[in-house]
Amino acid sequence: MSSPQPVHAWDEPEGIVPRGTLVVLPGRGEHGGVYERFGRRIAADGYRVRALTDPSSDPAAVTDEAAKLLRDETLPGPRVLVGSDTGALYAASLAARGTPGLDALVLAGLPTAPGALAAATDWEAELDQRTACPTHRGRLTSDVSFRRGALTAPAPAELPTFDGISVPVLALHGADDSVSPLPEAHRAYRALPGGVELVSLAGTRHDALNDLTHRTAAATIVLFLERLRLSPDLAPIAVREDLA
């Protein structure tokens, strides 16, 4: 039997009616606490956030806990699975299996091939590949629970084919991602049968949710969530008018 997994939680402000739930699957070396800044920002807009640990540490236990959270009817819908780095691979796999309770996917920094793609040889090099944000670099450097060097570990040998994914998908990817280059992400996402909204973030490296553009990443996700609440067809809400 899978052991219970630690869950970091951020809730909507007091007096605010919750608008949905995000379940976060971190990437290599990370844990849920790494997403505190992200969780607090999304929660401030009325969405509950539940962040687990790096699934590669215990794939069955972590994905089982994610599926349990998605089925939890005490958590408000829509319920969205957010995966970063290899967490995006596990999130896509859960969606492809038709996990009950899942309404949409957000995939950030999707690895595009198996194997150890990162070539970082020391901590500073790994930080450079992960993020340019000084706040997040400081957080990772001082975090005793963060596993340094994990970014060079192979991604799961069997990458998701995206077959069976029928929920809406938002993809965020750093334009300067050297671990999973943006052109490779383009090719990977073209294989998704129902299509995907792929948003590239200028000046952003591999940790797309925790880089210099973290505010833009969060705002992009909130706009996606607000559209999802209205309809899974994701009709536009904010429409740029042509004044010509």
Side-chain angles (χ1 to χ4, degrees):
M1 180 180 295
S2 299
S3 58
Q5 293 296 304
V7 180
H8 289 76
W10 298 276
D11 287 347
E12 70 284 352
E14 185 176 355
I16 299 296
V17 177
R19 301 180 68 76
T21 302
L22 279 66
V23 177
V24 180
L25 293 178
R28 284 166 285 187
E30 298 179 331
H31 56 84
V34 169
Y35 289 86
E36 179 180 9
R37 180 172 63 181
F38 173 79
R40 290 183 182 278
R41 176 163 285 122
I42 297 295
D45 277 312
Y47 292 89
R48 293 183 182 176
V49 180
R50 302 291 183 265
L52 297 169
T53 194
D54 171 10
S56 64
S57 62
D58 191 344
V62 178
T63 56
D64 283 353
E65 183 65 27
K68 178 181 176 182
L69 288 168
L70 293 170
R71 294 193 305 268
D72 186 350
E73 294 186 357
T74 67
L75 292 174
R79 299 183 199 111
V80 178
L81 194 53
V82 180
S84 179
D85 180 54
T86 48
L89 299 177
Y90 289 103
S93 295
L94 282 168
R97 297 204 298 264
T99 299
L102 177 61
D103 295 305
L105 277 177
V106 175
L107 306 178
L110 178 80
T112 51
L117 299 181
T121 56
D122 57 31
W123 177 235
E124 285 300 319
E126 180 178 350
L127 273 179
D128 286 342
Q129 287 186 323
R130 286 186 174 277
T131 178
C133 175
T135 300
H136 194 57
R137 288 168 69 97
R139 168 69 186 260
L140 296 183
T141 298
S142 63
D143 190 340
V144 296
S145 297
F146 180 85
R147 291 189 294 115
R148 297 187 182 192
L151 196 58
T152 61
E158 299 206 2
L159 301 178
T161 62
F162 296 123
D163 291 341
I165 295 180
S166 59
V167 297
V169 180
L170 170 67
L172 299 176
H173 213 89
D176 295 343
D177 189 339
S178 63
V179 177
S180 180
L182 181 58
E184 296 297 325
H186 275 265
R187 282 190 277 273
Y189 283 123
R190 287 193 196 107
L192 206 154
V196 57
E197 291 189 13
L198 174 58
V199 176
S200 64
L201 297 168
T204 299
R205 302 176 189 179
H206 189 57
D207 292 356
L209 302 181
N210 277 314
D211 209 339
L212 289 169
T213 52
H214 61 90
R215 294 177 181 84
T216 300
T220 302
I221 291 172
V222 169
L223 180 57
F224 175 77
L225 296 172
E226 291 293 294
R227 292 164 60 207
L228 180 67
R229 278 175 48 83
L230 294 178
S231 167
D233 294 330
L234 299 174
I237 297 175
V239 179
R240 180 176 294 182
E241 297 288 339
D242 184 1
L243 296 179

Short mmCIF file of all heavy atoms in Angstrom, two decimals, residues 113-180:
data_model
loop_
_atom_site.label_atom_id
_atom_site.label_comp_id
_atom_site.label_asym_id
_atom_site.label_seq_id
_atom_site.Cartn_x
_atom_site.Cartn_y
_atom_site.Cartn_z
N ALA A 113 12.65 14.58 -24.03
CA ALA A 113 13.29 13.32 -24.40
C ALA A 113 13.78 12.65 -23.13
O ALA A 113 14.09 13.32 -22.14
CB ALA A 113 14.47 13.56 -25.35
N PRO A 114 13.83 11.31 -23.11
CA PRO A 114 14.36 10.63 -21.93
C PRO A 114 15.86 10.86 -21.82
O PRO A 114 16.51 11.29 -22.76
CB PRO A 114 14.05 9.15 -22.20
CG PRO A 114 14.01 9.06 -23.69
CD PRO A 114 13.43 10.36 -24.16
N GLY A 115 16.40 10.55 -20.66
CA GLY A 115 17.83 10.68 -20.47
C GLY A 115 18.21 11.92 -19.70
O GLY A 115 17.39 12.78 -19.40
N ALA A 116 19.47 12.04 -19.38
CA ALA A 116 19.97 13.18 -18.61
C ALA A 116 20.32 14.30 -19.57
O ALA A 116 21.41 14.33 -20.13
CB ALA A 116 21.19 12.76 -17.79
N LEU A 117 19.38 15.21 -19.78
CA LEU A 117 19.59 16.27 -20.75
C LEU A 117 20.41 17.41 -20.18
O LEU A 117 21.11 18.10 -20.90
CB LEU A 117 18.24 16.80 -21.23
CG LEU A 117 17.33 15.78 -21.92
CD1 LEU A 117 16.04 16.46 -22.37
CD2 LEU A 117 18.02 15.16 -23.10
N ALA A 118 20.31 17.62 -18.88
CA ALA A 118 21.02 18.73 -18.27
C ALA A 118 22.50 18.40 -18.15
O ALA A 118 22.88 17.29 -17.80
CB ALA A 118 20.44 19.04 -16.89
N ALA A 119 23.33 19.37 -18.43
CA ALA A 119 24.77 19.14 -18.40
C ALA A 119 25.44 19.89 -17.26
O ALA A 119 26.65 20.11 -17.28
CB ALA A 119 25.38 19.56 -19.73
N ALA A 120 24.67 20.28 -16.27
CA ALA A 120 25.23 21.04 -15.15
C ALA A 120 26.27 20.20 -14.42
O ALA A 120 26.07 19.03 -14.14
CB ALA A 120 24.12 21.43 -14.18
N THR A 121 27.42 20.82 -14.15
CA THR A 121 28.50 20.10 -13.48
C THR A 121 28.67 20.52 -12.03
O THR A 121 29.39 19.85 -11.29
CB THR A 121 29.82 20.35 -14.23
OG1 THR A 121 30.04 21.78 -14.31
CG2 THR A 121 29.76 19.79 -15.64
N ASP A 122 28.05 21.60 -11.61
CA ASP A 122 28.13 22.03 -10.22
C ASP A 122 26.85 22.79 -9.87
O ASP A 122 25.96 22.95 -10.72
CB ASP A 122 29.37 22.90 -9.97
CG ASP A 122 29.43 24.12 -10.87
OD1 ASP A 122 28.36 24.65 -11.25
OD2 ASP A 122 30.54 24.56 -11.21
N TRP A 123 26.75 23.23 -8.62
CA TRP A 123 25.52 23.85 -8.17
C TRP A 123 25.22 25.14 -8.91
O TRP A 123 24.07 25.39 -9.30
CB TRP A 123 25.58 24.10 -6.66
CG TRP A 123 24.38 24.81 -6.10
CD1 TRP A 123 24.36 25.96 -5.37
CD2 TRP A 123 23.00 24.42 -6.25
NE1 TRP A 123 23.07 26.31 -5.04
CE2 TRP A 123 22.21 25.37 -5.56
CE3 TRP A 123 22.37 23.35 -6.87
CZ2 TRP A 123 20.83 25.30 -5.50
CZ3 TRP A 123 20.98 23.28 -6.81
CH2 TRP A 123 20.23 24.25 -6.13
N GLU A 124 26.19 25.98 -9.13
CA GLU A 124 25.95 27.24 -9.83
C GLU A 124 25.47 26.99 -11.25
O GLU A 124 24.58 27.69 -11.75
CB GLU A 124 27.23 28.10 -9.84
CG GLU A 124 27.54 28.74 -8.51
CD GLU A 124 26.43 29.68 -8.04
OE1 GLU A 124 25.87 30.42 -8.88
OE2 GLU A 124 26.11 29.67 -6.84
N ALA A 125 26.03 25.97 -11.89
CA ALA A 125 25.58 25.64 -13.25
C ALA A 125 24.15 25.13 -13.24
O ALA A 125 23.35 25.46 -14.13
CB ALA A 125 26.52 24.60 -13.86
N GLU A 126 23.80 24.33 -12.23
CA GLU A 126 22.42 23.85 -12.14
C GLU A 126 21.45 25.01 -11.91
O GLU A 126 20.38 25.07 -12.53
CB GLU A 126 22.27 22.81 -11.02
CG GLU A 126 20.85 22.29 -10.90
CD GLU A 126 20.67 21.21 -9.84
OE1 GLU A 126 21.69 20.73 -9.30
OE2 GLU A 126 19.51 20.87 -9.54
N LEU A 127 21.83 25.91 -11.00
CA LEU A 127 20.99 27.09 -10.77
C LEU A 127 20.78 27.88 -12.06
O LEU A 127 19.67 28.34 -12.34
CB LEU A 127 21.63 28.00 -9.72
CG LEU A 127 21.34 27.72 -8.24
CD1 LEU A 127 22.11 28.70 -7.38
CD2 LEU A 127 19.84 27.80 -7.94
N ASP A 128 21.85 28.04 -12.84
CA ASP A 128 21.75 28.79 -14.08
C ASP A 128 20.78 28.13 -15.05
O ASP A 128 20.09 28.81 -15.80
CB ASP A 128 23.12 28.93 -14.73
CG ASP A 128 24.01 29.94 -14.01
OD1 ASP A 128 23.47 30.75 -13.24
OD2 ASP A 128 25.24 29.90 -14.21
N GLN A 129 20.76 26.81 -15.05
CA GLN A 129 19.82 26.11 -15.93
C GLN A 129 18.39 26.23 -15.42
O GLN A 129 17.45 26.31 -16.21
CB GLN A 129 20.20 24.64 -16.05
CG GLN A 129 21.45 24.41 -16.89
CD GLN A 129 21.73 22.94 -17.10
OE1 GLN A 129 21.51 22.13 -16.21
NE2 GLN A 129 22.19 22.60 -18.28
N ARG A 130 18.23 26.24 -14.12
CA ARG A 130 16.89 26.27 -13.54
C ARG A 130 16.23 27.63 -13.64
O ARG A 130 15.09 27.76 -14.09
CB ARG A 130 16.94 25.83 -12.06
CG ARG A 130 17.15 24.34 -11.87
CD ARG A 130 17.05 23.96 -10.40
NE ARG A 130 17.11 22.53 -10.18
CZ ARG A 130 16.07 21.70 -10.28
NH1 ARG A 130 14.89 22.17 -10.62
NH2 ARG A 130 16.21 20.41 -10.05
N THR A 131 16.89 28.68 -13.17
CA THR A 131 16.21 29.97 -13.01
C THR A 131 17.21 31.12 -12.95
O THR A 131 18.33 30.96 -12.48
CB THR A 131 15.36 29.96 -11.72
OG1 THR A 131 14.73 31.23 -11.54
CG2 THR A 131 16.19 29.64 -10.49
N ALA A 132 16.75 32.27 -13.42
CA ALA A 132 17.54 33.49 -13.28
C ALA A 132 17.00 34.37 -12.16
O ALA A 132 17.57 35.43 -11.87
CB ALA A 132 17.53 34.27 -14.59
N CYS A 133 15.91 33.95 -11.52
CA CYS A 133 15.29 34.76 -10.47
C CYS A 133 16.14 34.71 -9.21
O CYS A 133 16.35 33.64 -8.62
CB CYS A 133 13.89 34.22 -10.16
SG CYS A 133 13.07 35.04 -8.78
N PRO A 134 16.64 35.85 -8.73
CA PRO A 134 17.52 35.83 -7.55
C PRO A 134 16.81 35.33 -6.29
O PRO A 134 17.42 34.66 -5.46
CB PRO A 134 17.96 37.29 -7.40
CG PRO A 134 16.96 38.10 -8.17
CD PRO A 134 16.50 37.21 -9.28
N THR A 135 15.51 35.63 -6.16
CA THR A 135 14.77 35.16 -4.99
C THR A 135 14.67 33.64 -5.00
O THR A 135 14.90 32.98 -3.97
CB THR A 135 13.37 35.78 -4.96
OG1 THR A 135 13.48 37.20 -4.89
CG2 THR A 135 12.57 35.27 -3.77
N HIS A 136 14.33 33.07 -6.15
CA HIS A 136 14.19 31.62 -6.21
C HIS A 136 15.54 30.92 -6.11
O HIS A 136 15.66 29.86 -5.50
CB HIS A 136 13.48 31.20 -7.50
CG HIS A 136 13.00 29.79 -7.47
ND1 HIS A 136 12.15 29.32 -6.50
CD2 HIS A 136 13.28 28.72 -8.26
CE1 HIS A 136 11.91 28.03 -6.70
NE2 HIS A 136 12.59 27.65 -7.76
N ARG A 137 16.59 31.52 -6.66
CA ARG A 137 17.93 30.95 -6.53
C ARG A 137 18.34 30.88 -5.06
O ARG A 137 18.90 29.90 -4.59
CB ARG A 137 18.94 31.79 -7.33
CG ARG A 137 18.81 31.63 -8.84
CD ARG A 137 19.61 32.67 -9.59
NE ARG A 137 21.04 32.47 -9.45
CZ ARG A 137 21.80 31.83 -10.34
NH1 ARG A 137 21.25 31.34 -11.44
NH2 ARG A 137 23.09 31.69 -10.16
N GLY A 138 18.02 31.95 -4.33
CA GLY A 138 18.32 31.96 -2.90
C GLY A 138 17.51 30.92 -2.15
O GLY A 138 18.02 30.27 -1.23
N ARG A 139 16.25 30.75 -2.53
CA ARG A 139 15.39 29.77 -1.88
C ARG A 139 15.95 28.36 -2.08
O ARG A 139 16.05 27.58 -1.13
CB ARG A 139 13.97 29.86 -2.46
CG ARG A 139 13.02 28.71 -2.07
CD ARG A 139 12.68 28.76 -0.60
NE ARG A 139 11.91 27.60 -0.18
CZ ARG A 139 10.58 27.58 -0.02
NH1 ARG A 139 9.88 28.66 -0.28
NH2 ARG A 139 9.97 26.51 0.41
N LEU A 140 16.32 28.03 -3.30
CA LEU A 140 16.84 26.69 -3.57
C LEU A 140 18.19 26.46 -2.88
O LEU A 140 18.45 25.37 -2.35
CB LEU A 140 17.01 26.49 -5.09
CG LEU A 140 15.73 26.51 -5.92
CD1 LEU A 140 16.07 26.22 -7.39
CD2 LEU A 140 14.71 25.51 -5.40
N THR A 141 19.02 27.48 -2.83
CA THR A 141 20.34 27.34 -2.23
C THR A 141 20.26 27.07 -0.73
O THR A 141 21.04 26.30 -0.18
CB THR A 141 21.17 28.61 -2.49
OG1 THR A 141 21.35 28.76 -3.91
CG2 THR A 141 22.54 28.51 -1.83
N SER A 142 19.28 27.69 -0.07
CA SER A 142 19.16 27.54 1.38
C SER A 142 18.24 26.39 1.80
O SER A 142 18.13 26.10 3.00
CB SER A 142 18.65 28.84 2.00
OG SER A 142 17.35 29.15 1.51
N ASP A 143 17.60 25.74 0.85
CA ASP A 143 16.60 24.71 1.13
C ASP A 143 17.28 23.36 1.34
O ASP A 143 17.77 22.73 0.40
CB ASP A 143 15.60 24.63 -0.02
CG ASP A 143 14.39 23.75 0.28
OD1 ASP A 143 14.48 22.92 1.20
OD2 ASP A 143 13.37 23.91 -0.40
N VAL A 144 17.31 22.88 2.59
CA VAL A 144 18.00 21.63 2.90
C VAL A 144 17.23 20.42 2.38
O VAL A 144 17.79 19.32 2.27
CB VAL A 144 18.23 21.48 4.42
CG1 VAL A 144 19.16 22.57 4.93
CG2 VAL A 144 16.90 21.50 5.19
N SER A 145 15.95 20.59 2.06
CA SER A 145 15.15 19.47 1.55
C SER A 145 15.22 19.34 0.03
O SER A 145 14.79 18.34 -0.53
CB SER A 145 13.68 19.64 1.97
OG SER A 145 13.55 19.61 3.37
N PHE A 146 15.76 20.36 -0.61
CA PHE A 146 15.90 20.31 -2.06
C PHE A 146 17.10 19.43 -2.43
O PHE A 146 18.16 19.52 -1.83
CB PHE A 146 16.11 21.73 -2.60
CG PHE A 146 16.27 21.81 -4.09
CD1 PHE A 146 15.17 21.88 -4.91
CD2 PHE A 146 17.54 21.82 -4.66
CE1 PHE A 146 15.32 21.94 -6.29
CE2 PHE A 146 17.70 21.87 -6.03
CZ PHE A 146 16.58 21.94 -6.84
N ARG A 147 16.93 18.55 -3.42
CA ARG A 147 17.99 17.61 -3.81
C ARG A 147 18.81 18.20 -4.96
O ARG A 147 18.38 18.20 -6.11
CB ARG A 147 17.40 16.26 -4.22
CG ARG A 147 16.78 15.49 -3.05
CD ARG A 147 16.41 14.08 -3.46
NE ARG A 147 15.34 14.05 -4.45
CZ ARG A 147 15.47 13.61 -5.68
NH1 ARG A 147 16.64 13.17 -6.13
NH2 ARG A 147 14.44 13.61 -6.51
N ARG A 148 19.98 18.68 -4.62
CA ARG A 148 20.86 19.21 -5.65
C ARG A 148 21.34 18.09 -6.59
O ARG A 148 21.55 16.96 -6.17
CB ARG A 148 22.08 19.89 -5.02
CG ARG A 148 21.73 21.09 -4.15
CD ARG A 148 22.99 21.80 -3.70
NE ARG A 148 22.68 22.94 -2.82
CZ ARG A 148 23.56 23.86 -2.47
NH1 ARG A 148 24.81 23.79 -2.91
NH2 ARG A 148 23.21 24.85 -1.67
N GLY A 149 21.53 18.44 -7.84
CA GLY A 149 22.03 17.48 -8.82
C GLY A 149 20.95 16.62 -9.44
O GLY A 149 21.21 15.89 -10.39
N ALA A 150 19.71 16.71 -8.94
CA ALA A 150 18.65 15.84 -9.44
C ALA A 150 18.27 16.16 -10.89
O ALA A 150 17.76 15.30 -11.60
CB ALA A 150 17.41 15.96 -8.55
N LEU A 151 18.57 17.37 -11.33
CA LEU A 151 18.19 17.76 -12.68
C LEU A 151 18.94 16.95 -13.74
O LEU A 151 18.50 16.86 -14.88
CB LEU A 151 18.44 19.26 -12.89
CG LEU A 151 17.78 19.93 -14.09
CD1 LEU A 151 16.26 19.77 -14.05
CD2 LEU A 151 18.16 21.39 -14.17
N THR A 152 20.05 16.35 -13.37
CA THR A 152 20.79 15.52 -14.32
C THR A 152 20.30 14.08 -14.32
O THR A 152 20.76 13.27 -15.13
CB THR A 152 22.30 15.52 -13.98
OG1 THR A 152 22.49 14.97 -12.67
CG2 THR A 152 22.87 16.92 -14.03
N ALA A 153 19.38 13.74 -13.43
CA ALA A 153 18.82 12.39 -13.41
C ALA A 153 17.96 12.18 -14.65
O ALA A 153 17.32 13.12 -15.13
CB ALA A 153 17.99 12.16 -12.15
N PRO A 154 17.93 10.96 -15.19
CA PRO A 154 17.13 10.72 -16.39
C PRO A 154 15.65 10.98 -16.14
O PRO A 154 15.12 10.69 -15.07
CB PRO A 154 17.37 9.24 -16.70
CG PRO A 154 18.64 8.90 -15.98
CD PRO A 154 18.67 9.77 -14.76
N ALA A 155 14.99 11.53 -17.14
CA ALA A 155 13.54 11.60 -17.12
C ALA A 155 13.00 10.18 -17.28
O ALA A 155 13.74 9.28 -17.70
CB ALA A 155 13.04 12.50 -18.25
N PRO A 156 11.74 9.94 -16.93
CA PRO A 156 11.18 8.59 -17.11
C PRO A 156 11.41 8.08 -18.52
O PRO A 156 11.26 8.83 -19.50
CB PRO A 156 9.69 8.79 -16.82
CG PRO A 156 9.65 9.97 -15.90
CD PRO A 156 10.78 10.87 -16.34
N ALA A 157 11.80 6.83 -18.64
CA ALA A 157 12.15 6.27 -19.95
C ALA A 157 10.98 6.31 -20.92
O ALA A 157 11.16 6.50 -22.12
CB ALA A 157 12.65 4.84 -19.77
N GLU A 158 9.77 6.12 -20.40
CA GLU A 158 8.61 6.11 -21.26
C GLU A 158 7.89 7.45 -21.14
O GLU A 158 7.18 7.71 -20.18
CB GLU A 158 7.66 4.96 -20.89
CG GLU A 158 8.31 3.60 -21.05
CD GLU A 158 7.28 2.52 -21.31
OE1 GLU A 158 6.09 2.85 -21.41
OE2 GLU A 158 7.70 1.36 -21.41
N LEU A 159 8.10 8.31 -22.13
CA LEU A 159 7.44 9.61 -22.13
C LEU A 159 6.00 9.43 -22.58
O LEU A 159 5.68 8.54 -23.35
CB LEU A 159 8.16 10.55 -23.09
CG LEU A 159 9.64 10.80 -22.78
CD1 LEU A 159 10.23 11.71 -23.83
CD2 LEU A 159 9.82 11.40 -21.41
N PRO A 160 5.10 10.29 -22.10
CA PRO A 160 3.69 10.13 -22.48
C PRO A 160 3.49 10.39 -23.96
O PRO A 160 4.14 11.25 -24.57
CB PRO A 160 2.99 11.20 -21.64
CG PRO A 160 4.04 12.21 -21.34
CD PRO A 160 5.32 11.44 -21.21
N THR A 161 2.61 9.63 -24.57
CA THR A 161 2.28 9.83 -25.98
C THR A 161 1.15 10.84 -26.14
O THR A 161 0.83 11.25 -27.26
CB THR A 161 1.84 8.51 -26.61
OG1 THR A 161 0.65 8.05 -25.94
CG2 THR A 161 2.93 7.46 -26.48
N PHE A 162 0.53 11.24 -25.05
CA PHE A 162 -0.60 12.16 -25.04
C PHE A 162 -1.89 11.49 -25.52
O PHE A 162 -2.94 12.12 -25.55
CB PHE A 162 -0.34 13.43 -25.86
CG PHE A 162 0.77 14.29 -25.31
CD1 PHE A 162 1.85 14.62 -26.11
CD2 PHE A 162 0.73 14.76 -24.02
CE1 PHE A 162 2.87 15.41 -25.62
CE2 PHE A 162 1.74 15.56 -23.52
CZ PHE A 162 2.82 15.88 -24.33
N ASP A 163 -1.80 10.23 -25.95
CA ASP A 163 -3.02 9.54 -26.36
C ASP A 163 -3.97 9.45 -25.16
O ASP A 163 -3.57 9.08 -24.07
CB ASP A 163 -2.71 8.13 -26.85
CG ASP A 163 -1.96 8.14 -28.18
OD1 ASP A 163 -2.02 9.18 -28.86
OD2 ASP A 163 -1.32 7.13 -28.52
N GLY A 164 -5.23 9.74 -25.40
CA GLY A 164 -6.22 9.63 -24.34
C GLY A 164 -6.46 10.91 -23.58
O GLY A 164 -7.38 10.98 -22.76
N ILE A 165 -5.65 11.94 -23.80
CA ILE A 165 -5.86 13.21 -23.10
C ILE A 165 -6.99 13.97 -23.79
O ILE A 165 -6.90 14.31 -24.98
CB ILE A 165 -4.58 14.06 -23.06
CG1 ILE A 165 -3.51 13.37 -22.25
CG2 ILE A 165 -4.89 15.45 -22.48
CD1 ILE A 165 -2.20 14.13 -22.17
N SER A 166 -8.06 14.21 -23.06
CA SER A 166 -9.21 14.89 -23.64
C SER A 166 -9.54 16.20 -22.93
O SER A 166 -10.45 16.92 -23.36
CB SER A 166 -10.44 13.97 -23.59
OG SER A 166 -10.73 13.58 -22.25
N VAL A 167 -8.81 16.52 -21.84
CA VAL A 167 -9.08 17.75 -21.11
C VAL A 167 -8.28 18.90 -21.72
O VAL A 167 -7.29 18.68 -22.42
CB VAL A 167 -8.72 17.60 -19.61
CG1 VAL A 167 -9.58 16.53 -18.96
CG2 VAL A 167 -7.23 17.28 -19.44
N PRO A 168 -8.68 20.14 -21.48
CA PRO A 168 -7.91 21.29 -21.97
C PRO A 168 -6.50 21.30 -21.38
O PRO A 168 -6.30 20.91 -20.23
CB PRO A 168 -8.72 22.50 -21.48
CG PRO A 168 -10.10 21.97 -21.28
CD PRO A 168 -9.93 20.56 -20.82
N VAL A 169 -5.54 21.75 -22.19
CA VAL A 169 -4.14 21.76 -21.77
C VAL A 169 -3.54 23.14 -22.02
O VAL A 169 -3.60 23.67 -23.14
CB VAL A 169 -3.31 20.70 -22.52
CG1 VAL A 169 -1.85 20.75 -22.06
CG2 VAL A 169 -3.89 19.31 -22.31
N LEU A 170 -2.94 23.71 -20.98
CA LEU A 170 -2.13 24.91 -21.10
C LEU A 170 -0.69 24.51 -20.85
O LEU A 170 -0.38 23.85 -19.85
CB LEU A 170 -2.55 25.96 -20.07
CG LEU A 170 -1.62 27.18 -19.92
CD1 LEU A 170 -1.63 28.02 -21.19
CD2 LEU A 170 -2.02 28.01 -18.70
N ALA A 171 0.20 24.89 -21.75
CA ALA A 171 1.63 24.60 -21.59
C ALA A 171 2.40 25.90 -21.47
O ALA A 171 2.21 26.83 -22.26
CB ALA A 171 2.14 23.79 -22.78
N LEU A 172 3.27 25.98 -20.46
CA LEU A 172 4.16 27.12 -20.28
C LEU A 172 5.59 26.63 -20.46
O LEU A 172 5.98 25.59 -19.90
CB LEU A 172 3.99 27.71 -18.88
CG LEU A 172 2.61 28.26 -18.52
CD1 LEU A 172 2.59 28.73 -17.07
CD2 LEU A 172 2.23 29.39 -19.45
N HIS A 173 6.39 27.38 -21.22
CA HIS A 173 7.75 26.93 -21.49
C HIS A 173 8.68 28.12 -21.62
O HIS A 173 8.33 29.13 -22.24
CB HIS A 173 7.79 26.12 -22.79
CG HIS A 173 8.81 25.03 -22.79
ND1 HIS A 173 8.55 23.74 -22.34
CD2 HIS A 173 10.11 25.04 -23.16
CE1 HIS A 173 9.63 23.00 -22.47
NE2 HIS A 173 10.60 23.77 -22.95
N GLY A 174 9.84 28.01 -21.00
CA GLY A 174 10.81 29.09 -21.06
C GLY A 174 11.44 29.19 -22.43
O GLY A 174 11.89 28.20 -23.00
N ALA A 175 11.49 30.40 -22.97
CA ALA A 175 12.12 30.61 -24.27
C ALA A 175 13.62 30.34 -24.21
O ALA A 175 14.24 30.02 -25.23
CB ALA A 175 11.85 32.03 -24.75
N ASP A 176 14.21 30.45 -23.00
CA ASP A 176 15.65 30.22 -22.83
C ASP A 176 15.93 28.92 -22.08
O ASP A 176 16.96 28.78 -21.43
CB ASP A 176 16.28 31.38 -22.06
CG ASP A 176 16.21 32.70 -22.84
OD1 ASP A 176 15.98 32.64 -24.07
OD2 ASP A 176 16.37 33.76 -22.22
N ASP A 177 15.02 27.95 -22.19
CA ASP A 177 15.18 26.66 -21.51
C ASP A 177 16.25 25.84 -22.23
O ASP A 177 16.05 25.42 -23.37
CB ASP A 177 13.84 25.92 -21.50
CG ASP A 177 13.85 24.67 -20.64
OD1 ASP A 177 14.93 24.14 -20.35
OD2 ASP A 177 12.75 24.23 -20.25
N SER A 178 17.39 25.59 -21.56
CA SER A 178 18.46 24.78 -22.15
C SER A 178 18.33 23.31 -21.80
O SER A 178 18.98 22.46 -22.40
CB SER A 178 19.83 25.30 -21.68
OG SER A 178 19.96 25.17 -20.27
N VAL A 179 17.49 22.99 -20.81
CA VAL A 179 17.26 21.59 -20.42
C VAL A 179 16.28 20.94 -21.39
O VAL A 179 16.46 19.79 -21.81
CB VAL A 179 16.71 21.51 -18.98
CG1 VAL A 179 16.40 20.07 -18.59
CG2 VAL A 179 17.71 22.12 -18.00
N SER A 180 15.25 21.67 -21.74
CA SER A 180 14.21 21.20 -22.66
C SER A 180 13.94 22.33 -23.65
O SER A 180 13.03 23.13 -23.45
CB SER A 180 12.95 20.83 -21.88
OG SER A 180 11.93 20.37 -22.72
#
